[in-house]
Amino acid sequence: MKKEKHDMIFIHETKCLIKKVREIHNKWLNKYEFLEVKADKTIGGIFTLWNPQRIGIVDVEASRNYLSVVIQPLGEREIYLVTNVYCP
């Protein structure tokens, strides 16, 4: 993923502690900003990342099973709702 130029990345069912998610972010995905819903031991976990040079965040709503983000691509007027879902 480091070589690719993704604007957003959605990962679900991370099954790891936030400490581990942050280690992965710092090592491999540090050009992205992120939001997470923590895993419950080894169940669930949601990780949504975006490139802040291309995407602005307008609003966020989250629960154990989803992370919804209202985004606005920089330089554009349109806004979009994107949702990262985890369903056990």
Side-chain angles (χ1 to χ4, degrees):
M1 282 196 285
K2 271 186 124 174
K3 293 180 183 180
E4 300 296 325
K5 300 199 189 287
H6 303 290
D7 290 339
M8 295 193 80
I9 300 170
F10 303 93
I11 303 170
H12 54 270
E13 200 165 6
T14 59
K15 296 184 179 182
C16 58
L17 299 173
I18 289 178
K19 179 181 175 185
K20 185 64 174 175
V21 168
R22 291 181 185 195
E23 287 174 17
I24 293 166
H25 173 261
N26 291 337
K27 184 173 183 178
W28 299 103
L29 303 166
N30 59 3
K31 82 171 194 171
Y32 295 93
E33 291 187 17
F34 69 94
L35 294 166
E36 78 267 353
V37 173
K38 67 179 183 176
D40 182 11
K41 298 179 183 159
T42 61
I43 299 170
I46 302 170
F47 198 37
T48 298
L49 304 99
W50 68 94
N51 180 343
Q53 295 177 349
R54 308 256 313 150
I55 302 287
I57 301 301
V58 177
D59 198 11
V60 175
E61 184 176 328
S63 80
R64 180 175 176 237
N65 294 333
Y66 71 89
L67 179 55
S68 289
V69 187
V70 177
I71 65 167
Q72 184 174 27
L74 298 182
E76 294 185 22
R77 293 180 57 179
E78 294 83 10
I79 61 172
Y80 304 93
L81 172 66
V82 293
T83 302
N84 191 353
V85 178
Y86 165 72
C87 293

Coordinates of all heavy atoms in Angstrom, one line a residue:
M1 N 0.8 -1.2 0.0 CA 0.0 0.0 0.0 C 0.9 1.3 0.0 O 0.4 2.3 -0.4 CB -0.9 0.0 1.2 CG -2.1 -0.9 1.0 SD -3.5 -0.6 2.2 CE -2.8 -1.3 3.6
K2 N 2.1 1.2 0.4 CA 2.9 2.3 0.5 C 3.2 2.9 -0.9 O 3.3 4.1 -1.1 CB 4.3 2.0 1.1 CG 4.3 2.2 2.6 CD 5.7 2.1 3.1 CE 6.1 3.3 3.8 NZ 7.4 3.2 4.5
K3 N 3.3 2.0 -1.9 CA 3.5 2.5 -3.3 C 2.3 3.0 -4.0 O 2.4 3.8 -4.9 CB 4.1 1.3 -4.1 CG 5.5 0.9 -3.6 CD 6.0 -0.3 -4.5 CE 7.3 -0.7 -3.9 NZ 7.9 -1.8 -4.7
E4 N 1.1 2.6 -3.6 CA -0.1 3.0 -4.2 C -0.5 4.4 -3.6 O 0.0 4.8 -2.6 CB -1.2 2.0 -3.9 CG -1.0 0.6 -4.4 CD -0.9 0.6 -5.9 OE1 -1.6 1.3 -6.6 OE2 -0.1 -0.2 -6.4
K5 N -1.3 5.1 -4.4 CA -1.7 6.4 -4.0 C -3.2 6.4 -3.7 O -4.0 7.1 -4.4 CB -1.4 7.4 -5.0 CG 0.1 7.5 -5.3 CD 0.5 8.7 -6.0 CE 1.9 8.7 -6.5 NZ 3.0 8.8 -5.7
H6 N -3.6 5.7 -2.6 CA -5.0 5.6 -2.3 C -5.4 6.9 -1.5 O -4.7 7.4 -0.7 CB -5.3 4.4 -1.4 CG -4.9 3.1 -2.0 ND1 -5.6 2.6 -3.0 CD2 -3.9 2.3 -1.7 CE1 -5.0 1.4 -3.3 NE2 -3.9 1.2 -2.6
D7 N -6.7 7.4 -1.8 CA -7.2 8.5 -1.0 C -7.8 8.0 0.3 O -7.7 8.7 1.3 CB -8.3 9.2 -1.8 CG -7.7 10.0 -3.0 OD1 -6.5 10.3 -3.0 OD2 -8.4 10.3 -3.9
M8 N -8.4 6.8 0.3 CA -9.0 6.3 1.5 C -8.7 4.8 1.6 O -8.6 4.1 0.5 CB -10.5 6.5 1.6 CG -10.8 8.0 1.7 SD -12.6 8.2 2.2 CE -12.5 7.9 4.0
I9 N -8.6 4.3 2.8 CA -8.4 2.8 3.0 C -9.3 2.4 4.1 O -9.4 3.1 5.2 CB -6.9 2.5 3.5 CG1 -5.9 3.0 2.4 CG2 -6.8 1.0 3.8 CD1 -4.5 2.9 2.8
F10 N -10.1 1.3 3.9 CA -11.0 0.8 4.9 C -10.6 -0.6 5.3 O -10.4 -1.5 4.5 CB -12.4 0.7 4.3 CG -12.9 2.1 3.8 CD1 -12.7 2.4 2.4 CD2 -13.5 2.9 4.6 CE1 -13.1 3.6 2.0 CE2 -14.0 4.2 4.1 CZ -13.8 4.5 2.8
I11 N -10.4 -0.8 6.6 CA -10.0 -2.1 7.2 C -11.0 -2.4 8.3 O -11.3 -1.6 9.1 CB -8.5 -2.0 7.7 CG1 -7.5 -1.6 6.7 CG2 -8.2 -3.4 8.3 CD1 -6.2 -1.3 7.2
H12 N -11.5 -3.6 8.2 CA -12.4 -4.0 9.3 C -12.0 -5.4 9.8 O -11.3 -6.1 9.2 CB -13.9 -4.0 8.8 CG -14.1 -4.8 7.6 ND1 -14.1 -4.3 6.4 CD2 -14.5 -6.1 7.5 CE1 -14.3 -5.2 5.5 NE2 -14.6 -6.3 6.1
E13 N -12.5 -5.7 11.0 CA -12.2 -6.8 11.8 C -10.6 -6.9 12.0 O -10.0 -7.9 11.6 CB -12.7 -8.1 11.1 CG -12.8 -9.2 12.1 CD -13.6 -10.4 11.6 OE1 -14.1 -10.4 10.5 OE2 -13.8 -11.3 12.5
T14 N -10.1 -5.8 12.5 CA -8.7 -5.8 12.8 C -8.2 -6.8 13.8 O -7.1 -7.2 13.8 CB -8.3 -4.3 13.3 OG1 -9.0 -4.0 14.5 CG2 -8.5 -3.3 12.2
K15 N -9.1 -7.1 14.8 CA -8.9 -8.0 15.8 C -7.6 -7.7 16.6 O -6.9 -8.6 17.1 CB -8.8 -9.5 15.3 CG -10.0 -10.0 14.7 CD -9.8 -11.4 14.2 CE -11.1 -12.0 13.7 NZ -10.9 -13.4 13.3
C16 N -7.3 -6.5 16.8 CA -6.1 -6.1 17.5 C -6.3 -4.9 18.4 O -7.2 -4.1 18.1 CB -4.8 -6.0 16.6 SG -5.0 -4.8 15.4
L17 N -5.4 -4.8 19.4 CA -5.5 -3.6 20.3 C -5.1 -2.3 19.5 O -4.4 -2.4 18.6 CB -4.5 -3.8 21.4 CG -4.8 -5.0 22.3 CD1 -3.7 -5.2 23.3 CD2 -6.1 -4.9 23.0
I18 N -5.7 -1.2 20.0 CA -5.4 0.1 19.4 C -3.9 0.3 19.4 O -3.4 0.9 18.4 CB -6.1 1.2 20.1 CG1 -7.6 1.1 19.8 CG2 -5.6 2.6 19.7 CD1 -8.5 2.1 20.4
K19 N -3.1 -0.1 20.4 CA -1.7 0.1 20.4 C -1.1 -0.6 19.1 O -0.2 0.0 18.5 CB -1.1 -0.6 21.6 CG 0.4 -0.5 21.7 CD 0.9 -1.1 23.0 CE 2.4 -1.1 23.0 NZ 3.0 -1.8 24.1
K20 N -1.5 -1.7 18.8 CA -1.0 -2.4 17.6 C -1.4 -1.7 16.3 O -0.6 -1.6 15.4 CB -1.5 -3.9 17.5 CG -0.9 -4.7 16.4 CD 0.6 -4.8 16.6 CE 1.2 -5.8 15.5 NZ 2.6 -5.8 15.6
V21 N -2.7 -1.2 16.3 CA -3.1 -0.5 15.1 C -2.3 0.7 14.9 O -1.9 1.1 13.8 CB -4.6 -0.1 15.3 CG1 -5.1 0.9 14.2 CG2 -5.5 -1.3 15.2
R22 N -1.9 1.4 16.0 CA -1.1 2.6 15.9 C 0.3 2.3 15.4 O 0.9 3.1 14.7 CB -1.2 3.4 17.2 CG -2.5 4.0 17.4 CD -2.7 4.8 18.6 NE -4.1 5.2 18.7 CZ -4.6 6.1 19.5 NH1 -3.8 6.7 20.3 NH2 -5.8 6.4 19.5
E23 N 0.8 1.2 15.9 CA 2.2 0.8 15.4 C 2.2 0.5 13.9 O 3.1 0.9 13.2 CB 2.6 -0.5 16.1 CG 3.0 -0.4 17.6 CD 3.3 -1.7 18.3 OE1 3.5 -2.7 17.6 OE2 3.3 -1.7 19.5
I24 N 1.1 -0.1 13.4 CA 1.0 -0.4 12.0 C 0.9 1.0 11.2 O 1.6 1.2 10.2 CB -0.2 -1.3 11.7 CG1 0.0 -2.7 12.2 CG2 -0.5 -1.3 10.2 CD1 -1.2 -3.5 12.3
H25 N 0.1 1.9 11.8 CA -0.1 3.2 11.1 C 1.3 3.9 11.1 O 1.7 4.4 10.0 CB -1.1 4.0 11.9 CG -1.2 5.4 11.5 ND1 -0.5 6.4 12.1 CD2 -1.8 6.0 10.4 CE1 -0.7 7.6 11.5 NE2 -1.5 7.4 10.5
N26 N 2.0 3.9 12.2 CA 3.3 4.6 12.2 C 4.3 4.0 11.3 O 5.1 4.7 10.7 CB 3.8 4.7 13.6 CG 3.0 5.6 14.5 OD1 2.3 6.5 14.1 ND2 3.0 5.4 15.8
K27 N 4.3 2.7 11.1 CA 5.3 2.1 10.3 C 4.9 2.1 8.8 O 5.8 2.3 8.0 CB 5.5 0.6 10.7 CG 6.5 -0.1 10.0 CD 6.8 -1.5 10.6 CE 7.9 -2.2 9.8 NZ 8.3 -3.5 10.3
W28 N 3.7 1.9 8.4 CA 3.3 1.7 7.0 C 2.4 2.7 6.4 O 2.4 2.9 5.2 CB 2.6 0.3 6.9 CG 3.5 -0.8 7.3 CD1 3.4 -1.5 8.4 CD2 4.6 -1.4 6.6 NE1 4.4 -2.5 8.5 CE2 5.1 -2.4 7.3 CE3 5.2 -1.1 5.3 CZ2 6.2 -3.2 6.9 CZ3 6.3 -1.8 4.9 CH2 6.8 -2.9 5.7
L29 N 1.6 3.4 7.3 CA 0.6 4.2 6.7 C 0.6 5.6 7.3 O -0.4 6.3 7.4 CB -0.8 3.6 7.0 CG -1.0 2.2 6.5 CD1 -2.2 1.5 7.1 CD2 -1.1 2.2 5.0
N30 N 1.8 6.1 7.6 CA 1.9 7.4 8.4 C 1.5 8.6 7.6 O 1.4 9.7 8.1 CB 3.3 7.5 9.0 CG 4.4 7.5 8.0 OD1 4.2 7.4 6.8 ND2 5.6 7.5 8.5
K31 N 1.4 8.5 6.3 CA 0.9 9.7 5.5 C -0.6 9.9 5.6 O -1.1 10.9 5.2 CB 1.4 9.6 4.0 CG 0.5 8.8 3.1 CD 0.9 8.9 1.7 CE -0.2 8.4 0.8 NZ 0.0 8.7 -0.6
Y32 N -1.3 8.9 6.2 CA -2.7 9.0 6.3 C -3.1 9.4 7.8 O -2.4 9.1 8.7 CB -3.3 7.6 6.1 CG -3.2 7.1 4.7 CD1 -2.1 6.3 4.3 CD2 -4.1 7.5 3.7 CE1 -2.0 5.9 3.0 CE2 -4.0 7.0 2.4 CZ -2.9 6.2 2.1 OH -2.8 5.8 0.8
E33 N -4.2 10.1 7.9 CA -4.9 10.3 9.2 C -5.8 9.2 9.3 O -6.2 8.5 8.4 CB -5.6 11.7 9.2 CG -4.6 12.8 9.2 CD -5.2 14.2 9.4 OE1 -6.4 14.2 9.9 OE2 -4.6 15.1 9.1
F34 N -6.2 8.9 10.6 CA -7.1 7.7 10.8 C -8.1 7.9 11.9 O -7.9 8.7 12.8 CB -6.3 6.5 11.0 CG -5.5 6.4 12.3 CD1 -6.1 5.8 13.4 CD2 -4.3 7.0 12.4 CE1 -5.4 5.7 14.6 CE2 -3.6 6.9 13.6 CZ -4.2 6.3 14.7
L35 N -9.1 7.1 11.9 CA -10.1 6.9 13.0 C -10.2 5.4 13.2 O -10.1 4.7 12.2 CB -11.4 7.5 12.6 CG -11.5 9.0 12.5 CD1 -12.8 9.4 11.8 CD2 -11.4 9.7 13.8
E36 N -10.5 5.0 14.4 CA -10.6 3.6 14.7 C -11.8 3.3 15.7 O -12.1 4.2 16.5 CB -9.3 3.0 15.2 CG -9.0 3.2 16.6 CD -8.1 4.4 16.9 OE1 -7.7 5.0 15.9 OE2 -8.0 4.8 18.0
V37 N -12.3 2.2 15.5 CA -13.2 1.6 16.5 C -12.5 0.4 17.1 O -12.1 -0.5 16.3 CB -14.6 1.2 15.9 CG1 -15.5 0.5 17.0 CG2 -15.3 2.4 15.4
K38 N -12.2 0.4 18.4 CA -11.4 -0.6 18.9 C -12.1 -2.0 18.9 O -13.3 -2.1 19.0 CB -10.9 -0.3 20.3 CG -12.0 -0.3 21.4 CD -11.5 0.1 22.7 CE -12.6 0.0 23.8 NZ -12.1 0.2 25.1
A39 N -11.2 -3.0 18.8 CA -11.7 -4.4 18.8 C -12.0 -4.7 20.2 O -11.5 -4.2 21.2 CB -10.6 -5.3 18.3
D40 N -13.0 -5.7 20.4 CA -13.3 -6.2 21.7 C -12.6 -7.5 21.9 O -13.0 -8.6 21.4 CB -14.8 -6.4 21.8 CG -15.3 -6.9 23.1 OD1 -14.5 -6.9 24.1 OD2 -16.5 -7.3 23.2
K41 N -11.4 -7.4 22.4 CA -10.4 -8.6 22.5 C -10.1 -9.0 21.1 O -9.4 -8.3 20.4 CB -11.0 -9.7 23.4 CG -11.2 -9.2 24.8 CD -11.8 -10.3 25.7 CE -12.0 -9.7 27.1 NZ -12.9 -10.4 27.8
T42 N -10.5 -10.2 20.7 CA -10.2 -10.6 19.3 C -11.4 -10.6 18.4 O -11.4 -11.3 17.4 CB -9.6 -12.1 19.4 OG1 -10.6 -12.9 19.9 CG2 -8.3 -12.1 20.2
I43 N -12.3 -9.7 18.7 CA -13.5 -9.6 17.8 C -13.7 -8.2 17.4 O -13.5 -7.2 18.2 CB -14.8 -10.0 18.6 CG1 -14.7 -11.4 19.1 CG2 -16.0 -9.8 17.8 CD1 -15.8 -11.9 20.1
G44 N -13.9 -8.0 16.1 CA -14.2 -6.7 15.6 C -13.0 -5.8 15.3 O -11.9 -6.3 15.1
G45 N -13.2 -4.5 15.4 CA -12.2 -3.5 15.1 C -12.3 -2.9 13.7 O -12.5 -3.7 12.8
I46 N -12.4 -1.6 13.6 CA -12.5 -0.9 12.4 C -11.5 0.2 12.3 O -11.2 0.8 13.3 CB -13.9 -0.3 12.2 CG1 -15.0 -1.3 12.4 CG2 -14.1 0.5 10.9 CD1 -16.4 -0.8 12.5
F47 N -10.9 0.3 11.1 CA -9.8 1.3 10.9 C -10.0 2.0 9.6 O -10.1 1.3 8.5 CB -8.5 0.5 10.9 CG -7.2 1.2 11.1 CD1 -7.1 2.3 11.9 CD2 -6.1 0.8 10.3 CE1 -5.9 2.9 12.1 CE2 -4.9 1.5 10.5 CZ -4.8 2.5 11.4
T48 N -10.3 3.3 9.6 CA -10.6 4.0 8.4 C -9.5 5.1 8.3 O -9.2 5.9 9.2 CB -11.9 4.7 8.4 OG1 -12.9 3.7 8.5 CG2 -12.2 5.6 7.2
L49 N -8.8 5.1 7.1 CA -7.7 6.0 6.9 C -8.0 6.9 5.7 O -8.6 6.5 4.8 CB -6.4 5.3 6.7 CG -5.9 4.3 7.7 CD1 -6.3 2.9 7.3 CD2 -4.5 4.4 8.0
W50 N -7.4 8.1 5.7 CA -7.6 9.0 4.5 C -6.4 9.9 4.4 O -5.7 10.2 5.3 CB -8.9 9.9 4.7 CG -8.8 10.9 5.8 CD1 -8.4 12.2 5.7 CD2 -9.1 10.7 7.1 NE1 -8.5 12.8 6.9 CE2 -8.9 11.9 7.8 CE3 -9.5 9.6 7.9 CZ2 -9.1 12.0 9.2 CZ3 -9.7 9.7 9.3 CH2 -9.5 10.9 9.9
N51 N -6.2 10.3 3.1 CA -5.0 11.2 2.8 C -5.5 12.6 3.0 O -6.3 13.1 2.3 CB -4.6 11.0 1.3 CG -3.5 11.8 0.9 OD1 -3.1 12.8 1.6 ND2 -2.9 11.5 -0.2
P52 N -5.0 13.3 4.1 CA -5.4 14.6 4.4 C -5.1 15.7 3.3 O -5.6 16.8 3.3 CB -4.8 14.9 5.7 CG -3.5 14.1 5.7 CD -3.9 12.8 5.0
Q53 N -4.2 15.3 2.4 CA -3.9 16.2 1.3 C -5.0 16.2 0.2 O -4.9 17.0 -0.7 CB -2.5 15.9 0.7 CG -1.4 16.2 1.7 CD -0.1 15.8 1.2 OE1 0.1 15.1 0.2 NE2 1.0 16.2 1.9
R54 N -5.9 15.2 0.3 CA -6.9 15.0 -0.8 C -8.3 15.0 -0.2 O -9.2 15.3 -0.9 CB -6.7 13.7 -1.5 CG -5.3 13.5 -2.0 CD -5.1 13.7 -3.5 NE -6.1 13.0 -4.2 CZ -6.6 13.4 -5.4 NH1 -6.1 14.5 -5.9 NH2 -7.5 12.7 -6.0
I55 N -8.5 14.6 1.1 CA -9.8 14.5 1.7 C -9.9 15.3 2.9 O -9.0 15.2 3.8 CB -10.0 13.0 2.0 CG1 -9.9 12.1 0.8 CG2 -11.4 12.8 2.7 CD1 -11.0 12.1 -0.2
G56 N -11.0 16.0 3.1 CA -11.3 16.6 4.4 C -12.5 15.9 5.0 O -13.4 15.3 4.4
I57 N -12.5 15.9 6.4 CA -13.5 15.2 7.1 C -14.5 16.3 7.6 O -14.1 17.2 8.3 CB -12.9 14.4 8.3 CG1 -11.9 13.4 7.8 CG2 -14.0 13.8 9.2 CD1 -12.5 12.3 6.9
V58 N -15.8 16.1 7.3 CA -16.8 17.0 7.7 C -17.5 16.5 9.0 O -17.8 17.3 9.9 CB -17.9 17.2 6.6 CG1 -19.0 18.1 7.0 CG2 -17.2 17.7 5.3
D59 N -17.8 15.2 9.1 CA -18.5 14.7 10.3 C -18.2 13.2 10.4 O -17.8 12.5 9.5 CB -20.0 14.9 10.1 CG -20.8 14.7 11.4 OD1 -20.2 14.7 12.5 OD2 -22.0 14.7 11.3
V60 N -18.4 12.7 11.7 CA -18.1 11.3 12.0 C -19.1 10.7 12.9 O -19.6 11.4 13.8 CB -16.7 11.1 12.7 CG1 -16.4 9.7 13.1 CG2 -15.6 11.7 11.8
E61 N -19.5 9.5 12.7 CA -20.4 8.8 13.6 C -19.9 7.3 13.7 O -19.6 6.8 12.6 CB -21.9 8.8 13.1 CG -22.8 8.2 14.1 CD -24.3 8.3 13.7 OE1 -24.6 9.3 13.1 OE2 -25.0 7.3 14.0
A62 N -19.9 6.8 14.8 CA -19.3 5.4 15.0 C -20.1 4.7 16.0 O -20.7 5.2 17.0 CB -17.9 5.5 15.4
S63 N -20.1 3.3 15.9 CA -20.5 2.4 16.9 C -19.6 1.2 16.8 O -18.7 1.2 16.1 CB -22.0 2.0 16.6 OG -22.1 1.0 15.7
R64 N -19.9 0.2 17.6 CA -19.1 -1.0 17.6 C -19.1 -1.7 16.2 O -18.1 -2.3 15.8 CB -19.7 -2.0 18.6 CG -19.0 -3.3 18.7 CD -19.6 -4.2 19.8 NE -18.9 -5.4 19.8 CZ -19.5 -6.6 19.6 NH1 -20.8 -6.7 19.5 NH2 -18.8 -7.7 19.6
N65 N -20.1 -1.5 15.4 CA -20.2 -2.2 14.1 C -20.0 -1.3 12.9 O -20.1 -1.8 11.8 CB -21.6 -2.9 14.0 CG -21.7 -4.0 15.0 OD1 -20.7 -4.6 15.4 ND2 -22.9 -4.3 15.4
Y66 N -19.8 0.0 13.0 CA -19.6 0.8 11.8 C -18.8 2.1 12.2 O -18.8 2.5 13.3 CB -20.9 1.1 11.1 CG -21.8 2.1 11.9 CD1 -21.6 3.5 11.7 CD2 -22.7 1.7 12.8 CE1 -22.4 4.4 12.4 CE2 -23.5 2.6 13.4 CZ -23.4 3.9 13.2 OH -24.1 4.8 13.9
L67 N -18.2 2.6 11.2 CA -17.6 3.9 11.3 C -18.0 4.7 10.0 O -17.5 4.4 8.9 CB -16.1 3.8 11.4 CG -15.2 5.0 11.5 CD1 -15.6 5.9 12.6 CD2 -13.8 4.6 11.7
S68 N -18.9 5.7 10.2 CA -19.3 6.5 9.1 C -18.6 7.8 9.1 O -18.5 8.5 10.1 CB -20.8 6.7 9.1 OG -21.5 5.6 8.9
V69 N -18.2 8.3 7.9 CA -17.4 9.5 7.8 C -18.0 10.3 6.6 O -18.2 9.8 5.5 CB -15.9 9.3 7.5 CG1 -15.1 10.5 7.5 CG2 -15.4 8.3 8.5
V70 N -18.4 11.6 6.9 CA -18.8 12.5 5.8 C -17.5 13.2 5.3 O -16.8 13.8 6.1 CB -19.8 13.5 6.3 CG1 -20.1 14.5 5.1 CG2 -21.1 12.8 6.8
I71 N -17.2 13.0 4.0 CA -15.9 13.5 3.5 C -16.2 14.6 2.4 O -17.3 14.6 1.8 CB -15.1 12.4 2.9 CG1 -15.8 11.8 1.7 CG2 -14.7 11.3 3.9 CD1 -14.8 10.9 0.8
Q72 N -15.2 15.4 2.2 CA -15.3 16.4 1.1 C -13.9 16.4 0.5 O -12.9 16.8 1.1 CB -15.6 17.8 1.7 CG -15.8 18.8 0.6 CD -16.3 20.1 1.1 OE1 -16.0 20.5 2.2 NE2 -17.0 20.8 0.2
P73 N -13.8 15.9 -0.8 CA -12.6 16.0 -1.5 C -12.1 17.5 -1.5 O -12.9 18.3 -1.8 CB -12.9 15.4 -2.8 CG -14.1 14.5 -2.6 CD -14.9 15.2 -1.6
L74 N -10.9 17.7 -1.2 CA -10.4 19.1 -1.2 C -10.5 19.7 -2.6 O -10.3 19.1 -3.6 CB -8.9 19.1 -0.8 CG -8.7 18.6 0.7 CD1 -7.3 18.7 1.1 CD2 -9.6 19.3 1.7
G75 N -11.0 20.9 -2.6 CA -11.2 21.6 -3.9 C -12.6 21.4 -4.6 O -12.9 21.9 -5.6
E76 N -13.4 20.5 -3.9 CA -14.7 20.2 -4.5 C -15.8 20.7 -3.5 O -15.6 20.8 -2.3 CB -14.8 18.7 -4.7 CG -13.9 18.1 -5.7 CD -14.1 16.7 -6.0 OE1 -15.2 16.2 -5.7 OE2 -13.2 16.0 -6.5
R77 N -17.0 20.9 -4.1 CA -18.1 21.3 -3.3 C -18.9 20.2 -2.7 O -19.6 20.3 -1.7 CB -19.1 22.2 -4.1 CG -18.4 23.5 -4.5 CD -19.3 24.4 -5.3 NE -20.6 24.6 -4.5 CZ -21.6 25.3 -5.0 NH1 -21.5 25.9 -6.1 NH2 -22.7 25.5 -4.3
E78 N -18.9 19.0 -3.4 CA -19.7 17.9 -3.0 C -19.2 17.3 -1.8 O -18.0 17.3 -1.5 CB -19.8 16.8 -4.1 CG -20.5 17.2 -5.4 CD -19.6 18.1 -6.3 OE1 -18.3 18.1 -6.1 OE2 -20.1 18.6 -7.3
I79 N -20.1 16.7 -1.0 CA -19.7 15.9 0.2 C -20.3 14.5 0.0 O -21.3 14.3 -0.7 CB -20.2 16.5 1.5 CG1 -21.7 16.6 1.6 CG2 -19.5 17.8 1.8 CD1 -22.3 17.0 2.9
Y80 N -19.6 13.5 0.6 CA -20.0 12.1 0.5 C -20.0 11.4 1.8 O -19.2 11.7 2.7 CB -19.0 11.4 -0.4 CG -18.9 12.0 -1.8 CD1 -17.9 12.9 -2.0 CD2 -19.7 11.7 -2.8 CE1 -17.7 13.5 -3.3 CE2 -19.6 12.3 -4.1 CZ -18.6 13.2 -4.3 OH -18.5 13.8 -5.5
L81 N -20.9 10.5 2.0 CA -21.0 9.7 3.2 C -20.4 8.3 2.8 O -20.8 7.7 1.9 CB -22.4 9.5 3.7 CG -22.6 8.4 4.8 CD1 -21.9 9.0 6.1 CD2 -24.1 8.2 5.1
V82 N -19.3 7.9 3.6 CA -18.7 6.6 3.4 C -18.8 5.9 4.7 O -18.6 6.5 5.8 CB -17.3 6.7 2.9 CG1 -17.3 7.2 1.4 CG2 -16.4 7.5 3.7
T83 N -19.1 4.6 4.7 CA -19.2 3.8 5.9 C -18.4 2.5 5.8 O -18.5 1.8 4.8 CB -20.7 3.5 6.1 OG1 -21.5 4.7 6.2 CG2 -20.9 2.7 7.4
N84 N -17.6 2.3 6.8 CA -16.8 1.1 7.0 C -17.6 0.2 8.0 O -17.9 0.6 9.1 CB -15.5 1.4 7.5 CG -14.5 0.3 7.5 OD1 -14.8 -0.8 7.2 ND2 -13.2 0.6 7.8
V85 N -18.0 -1.0 7.6 CA -18.9 -1.8 8.4 C -18.3 -3.1 8.8 O -17.6 -3.8 8.0 CB -20.2 -2.2 7.5 CG1 -21.1 -3.1 8.3 CG2 -20.9 -0.9 7.1
Y86 N -18.5 -3.5 10.1 CA -18.1 -4.8 10.6 C -19.4 -5.4 11.1 O -20.0 -4.9 12.0 CB -17.0 -4.7 11.7 CG -16.9 -6.0 12.5 CD1 -16.3 -7.1 11.9 CD2 -17.5 -6.1 13.7 CE1 -16.3 -8.3 12.6 CE2 -17.4 -7.3 14.4 CZ -16.8 -8.4 13.8 OH -16.7 -9.6 14.5
C87 N -19.7 -6.6 10.6 CA -20.9 -7.3 11.1 C -20.5 -8.7 11.5 O -20.0 -9.5 10.7 CB -22.0 -7.4 10.0 SG -22.7 -5.8 9.6
P88 N -20.6 -9.0 12.8 CA -20.2 -10.3 13.3 C -21.1 -11.4 12.7 O -22.2 -11.2 12.4 CB -20.3 -10.2 14.8 CG -21.1 -9.0 15.1 CD -21.1 -8.2 13.8

